[in-house]
Amino acid sequence: MKQLPPDTVRLLSSSQVITSIVNVLKELIENSLDAGASSIDVKLENYGLDRLEVRDNGHGIKAADTPVMAVRHFTSKICSHDDLQHLETYGFRGEALGSICAVAEVSVTTKTVADDISTQYMLNFTGEIVSQKPSHLGQGTTVSVLKLFKNLPVRRQYYSSTKKCKEELKKAQDLLMAYAIIKPDLRLTLVHNKVVVWQKAKVADHRSALLATLGPSAVANLLPCHHHQEQPEIFLEGFFPKPGADYSSTSSSNPDKTFIFVNNRPVHHKDIMKLLRQHYIAQYPDDPARNRYPTLVLKISVSPSSLDVNLTPDKTQVLLHEKEAVLTAVEALLVSLYGYRTGSDPPADKQLGHEISPLPSSPLQTDVSRLVIEQSVEMDDSVTNHSGKEAPKHSDTALSTAISSESKCMERLEDSVVSAADKSKDQLLAEDWSRGTALTDPLSREPLQPVKIHQPSKHNHSGSDEFKNPSSTNKKMFNAITEKRAALTAYDLISNRAMRAPLSPAALFEKETRAEVLREKPTASLQDISGAVHERWKNLREEDRKKYEEKAKKHLEHHDQRTKLASAEGPRELNVSTSRSHLRSQKRKAPQSNQQLLDELFSAQPQKKMKSPAPKPSQPLPCSVPALRLQLQRLSSQSSAAPRGLHLVNRLASQSAWVILCGQRLMLLNPFRVEEALLFKRLLENNILPAESLQNPIQLTDGSLGGAEYTDALCNMEKQSPELNGQIVFSDPRLVANGFKIKLTPGLTSAERHLEVTAMADCVPFLGLEDLREILTAVLHRKARTVQECRPLKVTNYLQGEAVRLVRQLPTNLSREDVEETLLRMEQQLGENNHTCIHGCPFLQHLSEIPSTDQESPY
């Protein structure tokens, strides 16, 4: 990361000011994308005012670059203004993070592949690091923005209403949707107040990204298109509404679903938006469609040298050097898709100063501009043959004279049309082509229709046996399984439907009475309901019982009638091929080739008995258990002693603990206690408490420190070089790491020197002069030289709490590799004697001894 030269800063400097929550989110997301992130998580609290966090899995920030990562005009993306000619990143000024630090509290947690652990950096309002501490996060960068606009009460007052906050949340979601569409392989998540508002998984292509973003109903009416222009080189691709589709499903009342990208950068371009709206609205003569915005995606790719993104601070507007060529290419794409409409003015008239007449049909425009439109509409062969050839020509040259000669692209279109007009006889309009009336039958003058395949009617099969019988044509066919359950085949199960057996009088009574009993006793069990229904049936009057018997008799007669009709269809195994083909048109059957296999699988009586498999050849081998035991004992006596060190055996899933082997002892390991002790040791050695400036510095005297010897010990500690005013700041890590900033004003004598505490850590409760005296006591009496030996008791307790808090954030189920790494670090850093956590609990619990002989084994 390097600082930009002053002349480059003058050219690029935008005086960037963070004006909204979306500004912060956009800058942080673009930094993540420039770092190669494939997963970005956005978390908001109170709409981002209290907390805004963006976490990615990118490359991370190198340790050498962290001191200047938030300082203005330091960037790793460009080195000079000339690099903008081939810019491939979203950011380039080096101002975003520094601007955010000016209006909020910012912390950055980062880790690269080369780093062992991640580190969290606290930044001040100028972007400088004020403190750092280790973190548990993985590779990537996490930027946390707290108390946004805390020093700008007027701007924070702007978000006092819930309506403004919800609008900002909607803008944040629209921003994420834009990046989700242009980056299909990017995973995005938006969480507000611990609730997932929107998320998108990694997908394969842009269409899948649109499905995940806009939904299948919106994408179903979109048509993929692309266009290539060589001079100047312009690539256009995207998804546009299908011509003639319902405007209510392909447009909206606001432009939040009209996505325009220039070199993969989401932008707002008024001229392109106007062009898109005019061509889309021209399809609909109704007034309600006039104020709507089409749902579409347009991706424009031009040379970086012909694009200026340094136009506005938020980089949402760009300057196209070949603006007229881009607008002409976009218009050619839209005209070939929608055609010119008589009721609308050509959108490029005001941009290019032309009056353009309606161009020829879509196939000719496609041939001129090399436009490829992938349509999902199937046309008949005759229409396809016509569209594949050169369009019919017209001899009239009035079309070419109507096209202005001021635009080069229009001149090329004019030449193509003129050359085609010399040979033409009929003129095809784009409007007729889109309506399907361009190609007509030369005899009837009717529009050509798609080819229809007609199925033969029943009277054409008069030769079949089934249709020779006149009564069979009027017979109503039933799909029913008749009473042949013993010979029920898979064919019957697949191709027919079962008929219910007729109900008895008692069953009909139970069907009607069960609901009444349940209404009377909602909490009754099934046994109570069945008993109550049975009692009512026994106590039923004779007249009512006869009514149910008559109903059952009618059910039986209806069932017998249906069964006779189904049986009259004949046996299932028909031998006449014509009858089988007719039944296949009536019913849905299994393939004929699979019927034999299905019958074998589902038949109740197997057709043939399966042969028993032949016995496998075997050969007896001599084996003696005592000889095997003797051989194992001999091998164990020859082997070396029990392995030293700790070896993992397996994990206990219920307790998240691991069984390990230590020599000949089985022990239970708690890896979280080990991590707690390792993290606490690292915090004792390396953690630096951030010191906050005191409004009233504390004077240090011999009495407050405990005597002159303590004052002398303090003055003998390491110091910085004197400042211009003569004051000297102590830089000894034993003082700085414990949160004390002390200044010395030297004098001619010891009585004239002046000591004062100007800053002190506020994260440790009740930290004061007694803790400073505790540090000096360790230095004076215990000859402490390291930071770990000089930690006061309050600081030690605070670091213990931090270690416990960080360990609780670890995943519950650690992998085998993680536990092996933990054991290795335990042996290297804690030694063999220190095997207890910070609460005094042991890492290992003894389970049992492994027996060395059979006599010692309890089994």
Side-chain angles (χ1 to χ4, degrees), residues 313-328:
D314 57 359
K315 299 187 285 290
T316 57
Q317 299 182 23
V318 296
L319 182 63
L320 295 167
H321 299 313
E322 301 289 346
K323 175 182 173 182
E324 294 184 358
V326 172
L327 291 176
T328 303

Side-chain angles (χ1 to χ4, degrees), residues 26 156 310 356 397 513 636 714 723 857:
K26 182 176 185 297
R156 196 172 178 91
N310 190 30
I356 305 175
T397 60
T513 311
S636 61
L714 177 60
E723 298 178 355
S857 176

Side-chain angles (χ1 to χ4, degrees), residues 577-778:
S577 60
T578 56
S579 299
R580 186 179 295 275
S581 62
H582 173 69
L583 289 178
R584 189 177 294 111
S585 64
Q586 296 282 342
K587 305 174 184 178
R588 184 179 179 181
K589 294 182 179 180
Q592 184 177 3
S593 59
N594 296 335
Q595 185 57 45
Q596 183 179 1
L597 177 61
L598 291 173
D599 287 344
E600 293 177 1
L601 292 175
F602 290 92
S603 178
Q605 298 178 357
Q607 297 179 358
K608 57 182 179 179
K609 187 177 181 181
M610 298 295 294
K611 296 182 179 180
S612 58
K616 297 182 179 180
S618 61
Q619 181 179 359
L621 296 176
C623 180
S624 174
V625 175
L628 181 60
R629 185 189 303 273
L630 182 62
Q631 184 68 16
L632 290 175
Q633 291 177 355
R634 190 176 302 165
L635 290 175
S636 61
S637 62
Q638 294 176 358
S639 62
S640 58
R644 299 177 60 84
L646 303 176
H647 302 276
L648 286 180
V649 178
N650 208 339
R651 182 174 69 89
L652 298 181
S654 59
Q655 303 295 332
S656 298
W658 286 76
V659 178
I660 66 171
L661 178 63
C662 181
Q664 290 188 337
R665 294 181 297 169
L666 279 179
M667 309 190 78
L668 198 63
L669 170 69
N670 189 334
F672 299 100
R673 294 180 180 176
V674 182
E675 289 289 347
E676 192 176 88
L678 291 172
L679 185 56
F680 175 60
K681 183 176 181 297
R682 190 161 64 247
L683 290 175
L684 282 178
E685 295 174 352
N686 303 323
N687 190 68
I688 300 176
L689 300 181
E692 296 291 337
S693 299
L694 301 176
Q695 295 182 354
N696 299 318
I698 302 174
Q699 306 296 328
L700 298 179
T701 62
D702 293 345
S704 61
L705 291 178
E709 56 182 358
Y710 289 93
T711 306
D712 295 337
L714 177 60
C715 293
N716 292 331
M717 287 188 174
E718 184 180 349
K719 311 177 190 65
Q720 295 180 357
S721 57
E723 298 178 355
L724 295 177
N725 56 5
Q727 292 184 342
I728 303 174
V729 179
F730 286 86
S731 60
D732 195 292
R734 294 171 291 184
L735 296 175
V736 177
N738 289 307
F740 288 98
K741 184 179 180 181
I742 303 175
K743 286 186 177 181
L744 169 65
T745 304
L748 298 177
T749 62
S750 59
E752 294 179 358
R753 65 188 177 188
H754 183 70
L755 289 168
E756 63 180 7
V757 180
T758 60
M760 192 181 303
D762 61 350
C763 56
V764 180
F766 308 108
L767 187 69
L769 293 183
E770 62 274 9
D771 302 288
L772 178 59
R773 192 181 306 115
E774 192 174 342
I775 297 173
L776 297 177
T777 301

Side-chain angles (χ1 to χ4, degrees), residues 408-680:
K408 294 182 180 180
C409 183
M410 291 295 106
E411 288 177 359
R412 289 197 298 271
L413 287 174
E414 179 186 0
D415 296 337
S416 301
V417 173
V418 171
S419 62
D422 294 336
K423 304 176 183 178
S424 62
K425 294 182 180 180
D426 297 318
Q427 183 181 7
L428 298 183
L429 297 179
E431 184 177 2
D432 295 336
W433 182 266
S434 62
R435 290 179 178 175
T437 59
L439 302 175
T440 58
D441 191 347
L443 298 178
S444 61
R445 295 296 179 183
E446 295 292 331
L448 291 179
Q449 299 295 328
V451 174
K452 295 181 180 179
I453 300 177
H454 298 280
Q455 294 184 356
S457 58
K458 292 183 179 180
H459 61 272
N460 293 334
H461 296 274
S462 58
S464 62
D465 295 341
E466 183 174 349
F467 291 99
K468 285 181 180 179
N469 187 3
S471 61
S472 62
T473 58
N474 299 324
K475 186 190 300 181
K476 188 175 181 181
M477 306 297 295
F478 288 93
N479 294 333
I481 298 178
T482 56
E483 298 175 353
K484 51 174 185 176
R485 300 187 182 183
L488 195 62
T489 64
Y491 181 84
D492 297 317
L493 293 175
I494 295 175
S495 302
N496 299 298
R497 59 181 177 85
M499 293 178 58
R500 288 187 177 181
L503 299 178
S504 63
L508 291 172
F509 176 78
E510 181 181 2
K511 184 178 180 181
E512 296 179 1
T513 311
R514 180 179 290 270
E516 298 177 2
V517 174
L518 193 60
R519 282 195 297 268
E520 294 173 2
K521 299 179 181 179
T523 59
S525 62
L526 295 177
Q527 294 180 355
D528 297 340
I529 294 175
S530 300
V533 172
H534 185 65
E535 288 294 329
R536 292 189 183 188
W537 173 254
K538 289 200 308 184
N539 300 330
L540 193 64
R541 293 183 303 176
E542 195 66 24
E543 298 83 9
D544 296 332
R545 190 185 295 268
K546 288 183 179 180
K547 291 180 180 180
Y548 286 103
E549 290 176 353
E550 290 175 359
K551 287 184 180 181
K553 186 176 180 181
K554 291 181 180 180
H555 276 257
L556 181 60
E557 292 174 356
H558 180 68
H559 179 266
D560 293 337
Q561 183 180 4
R562 295 287 299 274
T563 304
K564 290 178 181 179
L565 290 174
S567 302
E569 296 175 9
R572 288 291 165 211
E573 294 75 21
L574 295 177
N575 296 325
V576 183
S577 60
T578 56
S579 299
R580 186 179 295 275
S581 62
H582 173 69
L583 289 178
R584 189 177 294 111
S585 64
Q586 296 282 342
K587 305 174 184 178
R588 184 179 179 181
K589 294 182 179 180
Q592 184 177 3
S593 59
N594 296 335
Q595 185 57 45
Q596 183 179 1
L597 177 61
L598 291 173
D599 287 344
E600 293 177 1
L601 292 175
F602 290 92
S603 178
Q605 298 178 357
Q607 297 179 358
K608 57 182 179 179
K609 187 177 181 181
M610 298 295 294
K611 296 182 179 180
S612 58
K616 297 182 179 180
S618 61
Q619 181 179 359
L621 296 176
C623 180
S624 174
V625 175
L628 181 60
R629 185 189 303 273
L630 182 62
Q631 184 68 16
L632 290 175
Q633 291 177 355
R634 190 176 302 165
L635 290 175
S636 61
S637 62
Q638 294 176 358
S639 62
S640 58
R644 299 177 60 84
L646 303 176
H647 302 276
L648 286 180
V649 178
N650 208 339
R651 182 174 69 89
L652 298 181
S654 59
Q655 303 295 332
S656 298
W658 286 76
V659 178
I660 66 171
L661 178 63
C662 181
Q664 290 188 337
R665 294 181 297 169
L666 279 179
M667 309 190 78
L668 198 63
L669 170 69
N670 189 334
F672 299 100
R673 294 180 180 176
V674 182
E675 289 289 347
E676 192 176 88
L678 291 172
L679 185 56
F680 175 60

